[in-house]
């Protein structure tokens, strides 16, 4: 509303933009939503195809390195191929005979139970000890944290075969350090004691090796996760009188639950398919009493020349691992939905 000098009142629209004196009006931009044509007159690819083109090299590599061998392995598991058939290049079709033989073999189920027990013991020790060391890293001073982190990285970076050889020296029957330690501590019967005399003792040594080599991954990731937890949460817990154990379960674990889920998931996969540590330590012995599924498949295929049966073992190993992991996938997806 505008008041003139004579007193007359006139109305004006309230949403009219003010005009700047002396400036030309700029035309309104075009409201069209069509794509800008490419320079040079070339045709652009449809937008929907771009993501597929970007992931195509990775998919092709995975199909070549993983999918094709897996399909060939499944086909091999359906054939009755032993040493004679392999030399004669004959590949008789056996159907599910290899799977039927395995599922009815008590030795196979013994190896399955041993594999699960081995995985459960290793993952539990790795997660508990790795988490404790990660908490220790978070509480140490800068210099001691650096020293411990370097030690963890060096243990993690050590080649598996080299670490197996070191452990074989430690538990050597004649010159092993462990026999010397036990004798020094006053225990009798450790003069040239064979630590790998039984399958159980061999699996214990392999478990120590696997845990030692896997703790750095969990500890360093645990420390990295703890740095994301706000200091005010710890302060509030202390003010409420919470002890260390209560602080962990009420503050640390809820905030790092995704870390524990995904780390445990990875550790289960890595331990369940562990081959080098078990085979290099004692070749699955004595008397095949320390074999787990990957070693069992290798021995059947390479040492016993039962190629079709070994392929069936590897396929069943994959199936068992997928079934076990499906329950864990449900936990991870449920966690994501809750967030």
């Amino acid at each position: 509303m505008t008041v003139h000098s004579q007193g007359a009142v006139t109305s004006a629209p309230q949403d009219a933009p003010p005009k700047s004196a002396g400036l030309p009006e700029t035309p309104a931009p075009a409201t069209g939503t069509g794509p800008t044509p490419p320079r040079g007159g070339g045709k652009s690819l449809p937008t929907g195809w771009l993501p597929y083109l970007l992931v195509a090299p990775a998919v092709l590599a995975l199909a070549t390195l993983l999918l094709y061998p897996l399909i060939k392995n499944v086909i091999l598991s359906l054939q009755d191929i032993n040493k004679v058939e392999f030399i004669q290049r004959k590949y008789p079709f056996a159907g599910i005979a290899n799977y039927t033989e395995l599922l009815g073999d008590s030795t196979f189920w013994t190896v399955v139970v041993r594999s699960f027990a081995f995985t459960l013991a290793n993952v539990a020790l790795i997660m508990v000890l790795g988490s404790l060391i990660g908490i220790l890293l978070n509480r140490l001073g800068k210099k001691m944290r650096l020293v411990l982190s370097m030690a963890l990285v060096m243990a993690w970076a050590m080649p598996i075969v080299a670490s197996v050889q070191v452990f074989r020296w430690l538990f050597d029957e004649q010159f092993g350090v462990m026999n010397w330690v036990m004798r020094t501590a006053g225990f009798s019967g450790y003069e040239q004691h064979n630590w790998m005399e039984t399958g159980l003792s061999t699996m214990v040594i392999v478990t120590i090796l696997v845990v030692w080599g896997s703790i750095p991954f969990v500890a360093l990731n645990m420390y990295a996760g703890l740095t994301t937890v706000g200091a005010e949460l710890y302060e509030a817990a202390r003010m409420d009188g919470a002890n260390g154990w209560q602080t962990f379960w009420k503050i640390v674990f809820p905030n790092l639950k995704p870390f524990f889920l995904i780390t445990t998931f990875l550790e289960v996969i890595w331990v369940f398919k562990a081959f080098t540590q078990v085979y290099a330590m004692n070749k699955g012995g004595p008397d095949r009493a320390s074999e787990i599924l990957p070693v069992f498949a290798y021995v059947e295929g390479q040492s016993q020349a039962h190629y079709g049966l070994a392929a069936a073992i590897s396929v069943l190993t994959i199936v068992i691992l997928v079934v076990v992991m499906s329950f864990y996938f449900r936990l991870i997806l449920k966690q994501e939905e809750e967030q």
Side-chain angles (χ1 to χ4, degrees):
M1 181 176 295
T2 305
V3 180
H4 294 278
S5 56
Q6 290 84 359
V9 178
T10 60
S11 61
Q14 298 297 322
D15 57 348
K19 295 183 180 180
S20 302
L23 294 178
E25 296 184 3
T26 56
T31 59
T33 58
T36 304
R39 296 181 179 179
K43 294 182 178 180
S44 61
L45 292 172
T47 307
W49 285 95
L50 183 58
Y52 299 99
L53 291 176
L54 293 176
V55 302
V59 173
L60 182 61
L62 289 175
T64 304
L65 298 176
L66 297 178
L67 184 60
Y68 176 74
L70 178 61
I71 294 174
K72 292 291 292 184
N73 192 61
V74 172
I75 295 174
L76 180 61
S77 69
L78 301 175
Q79 298 172 335
D80 185 16
I81 302 178
N82 298 308
K83 185 179 294 184
V84 176
E85 289 80 8
F86 183 77
I87 295 175
Q88 295 178 352
R89 294 182 178 273
K90 295 180 179 179
Y91 311 107
F93 182 74
I96 61 173
N98 291 323
Y99 295 97
T100 305
E101 180 180 351
L102 283 174
L103 296 177
D105 187 4
S106 60
T107 303
F108 171 75
W109 291 110
T110 301
V111 175
V112 170
V113 173
R114 186 185 301 128
S115 300
F116 275 101
F118 176 75
T119 302
L120 180 62
N122 277 274
V123 173
L125 290 173
I126 290 168
M127 293 303 300
V128 171
L129 297 178
S131 299
L132 291 175
I133 295 177
I135 295 173
L136 177 62
L137 281 171
N138 191 47
R139 296 189 177 185
L140 287 176
K142 185 176 182 180
K143 293 183 179 179
M144 289 303 300
R145 184 188 302 129
L146 178 61
V147 172
L148 182 56
S149 299
M150 291 178 62
L152 291 171
V153 170
M154 286 188 289
W156 191 19
M158 189 172 185
I160 296 178
V161 176
S163 61
V164 170
Q165 190 61 43
V166 170
F167 271 73
R168 286 180 61 87
W169 289 339
L170 291 174
F171 292 92
D172 184 71
E173 182 177 351
Q174 186 173 2
F175 303 106
V177 175
M178 290 305 301
N179 281 337
W180 174 81
V181 170
M182 298 301 290
R183 291 195 304 268
T184 304
F187 294 95
S188 60
Y190 287 93
E191 292 80 10
Q192 298 187 357
H193 174 71
N194 185 8
W195 289 89
M196 301 184 190
E197 185 177 4
T198 65
L200 179 60
S201 59
T202 302
M203 294 302 292
V204 170
I205 296 173
V206 175
T207 298
I208 297 173
L209 170 63
V210 173
V211 171
W212 172 82
S214 301
I215 280 178
F217 173 78
V218 178
L220 294 174
N221 280 279
M222 180 69 177
Y223 167 66
L226 288 173
T227 58
T228 64
V229 180
E232 65 277 2
L233 297 178
Y234 295 109
E235 184 65 26
R238 283 193 295 267
M239 293 179 63
D240 290 338
N243 55 29
W245 184 252
Q246 292 172 333
T247 301
F248 177 82
W249 281 112
K250 299 297 183 179
I251 303 297
V252 176
F253 185 78
N255 283 277
L256 298 184
K257 191 174 181 180
F259 157 78
F260 286 107
L261 287 175
I262 193 62
T263 305
T264 305
F265 173 75
L266 293 175
E267 290 296 339
V268 168
I269 295 176
W270 290 338
V271 174
F272 193 83
K273 66 183 185 66
F275 169 81
T276 308
Q277 296 92 330
V278 180
Y279 187 79
M281 184 66 71
N282 203 19
K283 296 184 178 180
D287 298 328
R288 307 185 66 175
S290 63
E291 290 180 352
I292 58 175
L293 282 171
V295 179
F296 183 54
Y298 179 82
V299 172
E300 285 293 329
Q302 297 299 320
S303 300
Q304 306 297 324
H306 300 155
Y307 302 108
L309 193 65
I313 296 171
S314 63
V315 172
L316 288 177
T317 302
I318 296 173
V319 172
I320 292 172
L321 188 58
V322 169
V323 171
V324 173
M325 288 295 97
S326 63
F327 297 99
Y328 210 78
F329 272 125
R330 292 179 61 184
L331 291 177
I332 294 177
L333 293 175
K334 185 179 180 180
Q335 176 67 22
E336 292 181 352
E337 291 177 356
E338 291 177 354
Q339 292 179 349

